[in-house]
Structures are given as C-alpha cells and as structure tokens.
Amino acid sequence: MVELRKRKTPPPAPARPAKKKPGPKPGPKGSKGSKAAAKPATNPAQPAPNGPDKAAEPSAPPAVAAGTTIALDGFGGEVQTHDGATVTLKQLVDESKAGVVLFTYPKASTPGCTKQACLFRDSYDPLTATGLSIFGLSTDGPKANTTFKSKQKLPYPLLCDQTLGLIKAIGMQKPPKSTTRGVFVIDKEGKVLAVEAGSPDKTVQVVKELVESMRATVEAKKETADNKAAAVAGEVADTAATLDQDAEAEQKE
C-alpha cells in the first residue's frame, strides 16, 4: 500500500515595488530648463517694473493759459531791447496803456520771421488803437535785431531773450534752445488775453480779433455810461419841473 504525502503550500511571492514615474530630464549645464521649477511665480497684482502697467509720468502743465492772471513781479526775468536797454515784462506792461503784445519768432531776417514782422508793421496802427504795445521777441542778440528792425522799418521795439527766460515763461520755447512762432497778449492787470502758436498770418489775426473784441467792449461800456447819464439828466429835469410847478402854485395862493 502506497503512502501519500501532502505537498507543502509554497510561500507567497514577494510584492514587486511600484515603478517610479520618470521626472523631467535635467537639461544641459547652464540651460534655463534646469532652473524653471525654481523660478518664483509672478504676482499678477504687482505689474512688472517695465511693463505696460507702469504709470506714465505726468506731462508738465503749460506755462501760461489764456484767461489766467499771472504775478508780473519777476516773471520771465530780464531781457534786452534791440538797442541794449534791460527791461522786464512788468516794466513793459506798466508803461503801456492797455497791455502788451509779444509776438515770438525763431530767427531774425529769415523769410517766415520777416513776413511775420512786416505783417505786424503793416497793421501797427489798428493793432495799437486800443492801447496795446507791440514787441517782437526772439533769442537773437541786439546786433541781429537792430539790423532786422532797421532793414524792415519796424515801428516797434524788438526784444532779445538770449537766455530763453521770458520765452520759456510764456510757453513759447522749442526744445532745446529755439523759439516757437506765436503770440502772447497780457493786459494791465496781468490777465493773459491770448497765448497761441501759429503761422505769421495766424499770429496777427489773433491780435486783430482781440482788438476788435476790446473795441466792442469799450463801445458797449461807453453806451451804457451814456444811457445812465441821459437817465440821470432826465430825472434832474423832471425834478426841476416839479419844483417849478410847486413854486407857481405857492405864488397863486
């Protein structure tokens, strides 16, 4: 009789370790790939130093504007006349009857500047009829401006602003050291009546329109004053007539 032997149960097989997922391969030495993970994320709330969200620097306000009143003491510094006298804008305004016109030009005896100066020359009488005093203003020296004035027979003085002090103050500087063609008008109280850049014809037209407006204002004030005077005279006449009537009535009694 054959004896049967039981087989021993084999031990369980050991569990295999889980496979690791392959990570990013390191880039070559010195490449950006190897440092990408370490780079901190940009905070969206903080714009980049030189990005489009950087606040733009505010532009400088204009030196003067029409309708504003400026303090004339020290304004624009000192300039010279074509004959070498030292003056200030305040002196020119004080010596005027109604205010000052400064027309600015880049360079004496050039075609555009000659045209502008001659336009002011040809309209000198009507432009000064309301008491405005006219001056040309540039960075030219006394010699160049004296030649310019003499050759073109200009009836008004030319001012020499070689340091650009007054030209810059009235907003007519063209960087770095040139002058914008334009016109600046100020009255006796320091109120800026006009400040505008433009062509030779435009600068003269600005002053012509301003003079017409000033003339209309003067005439309107005169008419108002005449009407008031007439009204007062009428009241005086009525009062006199009433007094005469009362006197006659008393005599009859």
Side-chain angles (χ1 to χ4, degrees), residues 20 30 46 53 65 81-82 125 129-130 138 152 158 161 164 227 237:
K20 295 182 179 181
Q46 298 178 353
D53 293 332
T81 61
H82 63 275
D125 288 340
T130 57
S138 73
Q152 303 303 330
L158 299 179
D161 186 14
L164 284 161
N227 291 338

Side-chain angles (χ1 to χ4, degrees), residues 57-99:
E57 294 182 1
S59 57
V64 290
T68 59
T69 300
I70 60 177
L72 288 172
D73 287 328
F75 183 85
E78 295 180 338
V79 294
Q80 283 185 303
T81 61
H82 63 275
D83 53 6
T86 299
V87 296
T88 64
L89 179 60
K90 185 178 187 311
Q91 286 176 264
L92 300 178
V93 171
D94 288 344
E95 293 169 2
S96 70
K97 292 180 179 179

Side-chain angles (χ1 to χ4, degrees), residues 95-166:
E95 293 169 2
S96 70
K97 292 180 179 179
V100 165
V101 174
L102 300 177
F103 72 87
T104 57
Y105 55 95
K107 191 171 180 59
S109 299
T110 55
C113 299
T114 299
K115 178 181 179 181
Q116 184 183 21
C118 291
L119 286 172
F120 275 97
R121 176 199 66 194
D122 297 342
S123 298
Y124 181 77
D125 288 340
L127 293 182
T128 57
T130 57
L132 292 174
S133 297
I134 295 177
F135 298 87
L137 176 65
S138 73
T139 59
D140 294 298
K143 183 178 180 180
N145 271 332
T146 297
T147 300
F148 189 31
K149 175 179 170 62
S150 176
K151 185 176 180 180
Q152 303 303 330
K153 296 180 175 58
L154 305 179
Y156 45 79
L158 299 179
L159 304 178
C160 312
D161 186 14
Q162 294 178 285
T163 63
L164 284 161
L166 181 54

Side-chain angles (χ1 to χ4, degrees), residues 213-234:
S213 176
M214 292 172 67
R215 191 195 304 276
T217 300
V218 170
E219 290 177 354
K221 288 181 178 180
K222 185 177 182 300
E223 183 178 355
T224 300
D226 290 344
N227 291 338
K228 287 183 177 179
V232 170

